[in-house]
Amino acid sequence: MYLPDNILDIFLQPGDFFWGDKNTRIRTILGSCISICMWHPIHKEGGMCHYMLPSRGHRRENKSLDGRYADEAWEMFFQEIKKLGTKPSEYVTKLFGGASMFGQGNQPTFQMGIKNIDMARKIVKTNALQVTSENLGGNRSRRIHFEIWSGNVWLKREILQQEETRQ
């Protein structure tokens, strides 16, 4: 298997977005936030977002895109996809996150993970994305590592015992 000599290791904070090539690994930690990972198997390019909220509602004119919001993070993906001269349907897409991190209840703050998952599914459906793996919901945080050279996303989440799987 190919392993780059010089790996560019990127850690995403909430609201960040990064697009890279076959020498890149992108990592993050998720609670109620969602990461969408997109990978082009031929070009060995792809990216990941770490969005916090489904939408800000409306964007003011002349305001730059903000990765904290799912709809704007998707626009960031679409800009990169267009630059590469590809189509969204050519990418392998993987979804992670959306945990209920703040206990149980019917208050809106308790439902943010569910709202974020709903928005991820809406983006997938609207853009006919090819989702090959997802790990959504629950009540535990997740650590993910996305290796753009292989397209693999490694997931580690806290349960009774530490669990590590390749997605």
Side-chain angles (χ1 to χ4, degrees):
M1 173 167 47
Y2 173 82
L3 185 64
D5 290 331
N6 297 310
I7 297 172
L8 176 61
D9 197 22
I10 302 295
F11 185 84
L12 295 187
Q13 298 289 340
D16 285 348
F17 172 88
F18 191 83
W19 188 270
D21 63 13
K22 66 182 179 180
N23 297 314
T24 308
R25 174 181 18 218
I26 310 171
R27 302 177 296 117
T28 198
I29 300 171
L30 300 165
S32 61
C33 297
I34 298 277
S35 277
I36 300 173
C37 301
M38 296 187 73
W39 180 67
H40 198 284
I42 295 170
H43 294 284
K44 304 286 192 253
E45 284 196 26
M48 182 166 77
C49 70
H50 181 148
Y51 73 79
M52 303 164 62
L53 300 165
S55 176
R56 77 167 100 187
H58 66 284
R59 199 174 65 201
R60 289 180 272 186
E61 292 299 318
N62 300 323
K63 184 98 173 167
S64 61
L65 294 172
D66 189 334
R68 292 179 294 178
Y69 307 102
D71 53 351
E72 295 181 41
W74 170 249
E75 288 183 51
M76 293 174 175
F77 275 114
F78 194 68
Q79 287 176 355
E80 295 297 332
I81 291 167
K82 278 177 53 177
K83 279 185 207 173
L84 195 55
T86 56
K87 298 176 189 168
S89 61
E90 297 174 24
Y91 288 76
V92 173
T93 303
K94 300 178 181 188
L95 307 173
F96 302 93
S100 296
M101 298 299 296
F102 305 108
Q104 303 298 322
N106 294 324
Q107 298 297 325
T109 56
F110 294 120
Q111 301 298 318
M112 192 50 61
I114 293 168
K115 290 178 182 180
N116 282 336
I117 291 169
D118 289 346
M119 185 56 140
R121 294 195 193 290
K122 180 179 177 184
I123 290 169
V124 165
K125 184 176 180 180
T126 302
N127 297 284
L129 300 178
Q130 174 189 348
V131 176
T132 60
S133 182
E134 64 178 49
N135 190 283
L136 300 167
N139 59 4
R140 307 279 187 200
S141 62
R142 296 163 170 87
R143 293 178 185 264
I144 60 171
H145 295 192
F146 176 24
E147 300 171 344
I148 295 180
W149 58 86
S150 67
N152 289 332
V153 178
W154 296 90
L155 165 73
K156 190 173 196 176
R157 63 185 179 146
E158 185 181 335
I159 55 174
L160 295 177
Q161 300 175 16
Q162 291 294 338
E163 174 184 292
E164 186 170 329
T165 59
R166 184 178 70 174
Q167 298 286 319

